[in-house]
Amino acid sequence: MERQQSDLDRDRQECELCGKMENLLKCGRCRSSFYCSKEHQKQHWKEHKLTCKEADKAHKPEQAATPQPPGGDDDDDGSKHNSREKVSPERADSAGLTAATDADAPGEEGSNNTATPNGQTSSSPQKLATEYIVPCMNKHGICVVDNFLGAETGQGILDNVKALHKTGKFTDGQLVSQKSDSTKDIRGDKITWIEGREAGCEKIRFLMGRMDDLIRHCNGKLGNYTVNGRTKAMVACYPGNGTGYVRHVDNPNGDGRCVTCIYYLNKDWTAKEHGGLLRIFPEGKAQFADIEPKFDRLLLFWSDRRNPHEVQPAFATRYAITVWYFDADERARAKEKYLTGQQESL
């Protein structure tokens, strides 16, 4: 008898047809497969229907409480009709597509996640970390969590950042290895570093704490890393004049950074109008991942050469907060090299 797929086995945080990893929608019938659009769900239906029905049966108890459109036993050519509504390529959307967010973490089909007043699901940081972020990172090296803190908290963080920006303390972003005066041709952001205890940064400090909570629950499960520290928060602003950041790697030289964690603060952002996509080029894959810097979105990815990435030109003010987490062993080696003068800088 074929082994039943576990929740983690079913985790496919990418479009089943094209492999896109952003703005995914979940099949509302089986709740196990993801698509970037209804069109791709329809195109993939002939293959997907073989597993969709079996997964649908597994969710029958839940569907009794939340009715789903019924599906018939489709023939391969889609020609069979009966009194039950058929879920065919022409009607694939009748199975439903729902937005894939932190609430859609694998393994939560039977949970009682409900929306809190600020729009965040009640999923605990531990559940989000262990059942969604860990398998997603270990499989793809990239993970997107939408509606991370909710609209009210996100707005508080944005207010902190805007107030910081008005102080004029943001400076030009620097490169890991500064060897020329061409920095502005490479990156066009203005940045400031925040510990979290500064006056007027209370909401930013809360964000950093929530990031720390997630990483703590992930610790020991993210690749072979043992996370033992992080940087301060880098608050960055692209001023919206077409500036970006050319393709680069956060940690090209083994400085200890293992996970890049970015929180976005841009309301009503659309890449078509505003640009500013973060495009990641995962090592060994022909496809790239485009991440829109949408409000209350958290992005995690490996910091090393597995994930070269670029910020495409932004045509509206673009805010982000980035924290890098350190692997204990790599950071210790980097410090030793620095102290013995084997490399110029960390």
Side-chain angles (χ1 to χ4, degrees):
M1 183 175 180
E2 184 173 318
R3 180 177 67 86
Q4 184 177 2
Q5 284 183 308
S6 69
D7 291 326
L8 299 187
D9 289 335
R10 292 200 316 270
D11 173 32
R12 289 184 59 84
Q13 296 296 308
E14 58 185 20
C15 177
E16 297 279 354
L17 187 65
C18 70
K20 184 178 179 181
M21 299 172 66
E22 193 205 14
N23 295 331
L24 297 179
L25 300 168
K26 177 186 287 187
C27 174
R29 185 188 189 194
C30 68
R31 300 189 65 189
S32 300
S33 295
F34 296 83
Y35 296 92
C36 65
S37 65
K38 290 183 179 181
E39 288 71 23
H40 278 196
Q41 184 191 31
K42 291 177 182 178
Q43 292 176 36
H44 192 251
W45 175 246
K46 283 188 178 180
E47 180 177 347
H48 176 55
K49 70 179 181 181
L50 302 175
T51 57
C52 187
K53 186 169 67 175
E54 293 302 316
D56 182 43
K57 290 179 181 179
H59 295 146
K60 285 299 182 183
E62 183 184 5
Q63 290 173 344
T66 307
Q68 297 286 339
D73 296 327
D74 304 325
D75 287 336
D76 289 339
D77 61 2
S79 62
K80 184 176 180 179
H81 293 268
N82 55 32
S83 61
R84 300 175 66 197
E85 182 180 0
K86 187 173 105 173
V87 183
S88 65
E90 292 72 27
R91 292 280 298 164
D93 58 338
S94 69
L97 282 173
T98 56
T101 68
D102 58 326
D104 299 320
E108 294 188 16
E109 282 82 0
S111 68
N112 293 317
N113 284 342
T114 56
T116 56
N118 66 0
Q120 183 193 0
T121 65
S122 58
S123 178
S124 69
Q126 182 175 4
K127 198 175 188 71
L128 177 61
T130 59
E131 296 190 3
Y132 177 60
I133 292 176
V134 166
C136 192
M137 285 291 288
N138 287 334
K139 182 175 182 179
H140 303 296
I142 306 168
C143 185
V144 176
V145 180
D146 281 332
N147 307 316
F148 178 50
L149 297 176
E152 183 178 345
T153 302
Q155 182 61 54
I157 298 167
L158 178 57
D159 290 343
N160 278 185
V161 169
K162 286 183 174 180
L164 270 176
H165 196 201
K166 288 181 180 179
T167 65
K169 295 181 180 178
F170 281 55
T171 59
D172 290 340
Q174 300 298 307
L175 304 180
V176 174
S177 181
Q178 187 69 51
K179 295 182 179 179
S180 71
D181 297 326
S182 61
T183 303
K184 289 184 179 180
D185 297 329
I186 298 174
R187 62 183 295 182
D189 55 338
K190 304 282 187 179
I191 67 168
T192 189
W193 293 91
I194 297 298
E195 183 179 352
R197 299 183 181 276
E198 298 87 346
C201 296
E202 292 79 12
K203 297 298 184 180
I204 297 176
R205 181 180 181 182
F206 176 79
L207 167 66
M208 296 166 72
R210 284 302 303 268
M211 289 178 170
D212 291 348
D213 287 343
L214 284 182
I215 297 299
R216 183 171 63 252
H217 290 306
C218 292
N219 210 1
K221 304 180 182 74
L222 290 172
N224 297 318
Y225 295 124
T226 300
V227 177
N228 71 336
R230 60 162 169 78
T231 65
K232 296 179 181 180
M234 185 187 79
V235 183
C237 171
Y238 288 86
N241 55 358
T243 54
Y245 195 161
V246 301
R247 182 167 172 168
H248 65 284
V249 172
D250 285 353
N251 175 16
N253 301 315
D255 64 19
R257 290 179 291 172
C258 59
V259 175
T260 300
C261 195
I262 308 176
Y263 182 71
Y264 293 112
L265 290 155
N266 309 294
K267 290 188 171 182
D268 303 317
W269 191 278
T270 60
K272 185 175 181 180
E273 180 180 357
H274 304 121
L277 284 172
L278 181 74
R279 176 166 288 182
I280 305 177
F281 305 87
E283 184 183 51
K285 295 185 179 180
Q287 298 166 331
F288 50 76
D290 281 341
I291 313 297
E292 291 191 36
K294 291 184 175 181
F295 180 77
D296 201 26
R297 167 172 284 178
L298 184 71
L299 168 67
L300 304 94
F301 57 89
W302 302 131
S303 304
D304 59 19
R305 294 180 182 274
R306 285 173 288 182
N307 284 317
H309 55 281
E310 66 186 20
V311 177
Q312 298 188 341
F315 301 99
T317 303
R318 180 188 188 275
Y319 291 114
I321 299 176
T322 305
V323 171
W324 287 272
Y325 287 88
F326 293 119
D327 172 62
D329 290 341
E330 185 178 314
R331 186 62 174 170
R333 291 194 298 270
K335 286 182 177 180
E336 183 178 357
K337 287 182 180 179
Y338 176 77
L339 293 174
T340 56
Q342 293 185 16
Q343 65 180 35
E344 289 183 26
S345 66
L346 295 177

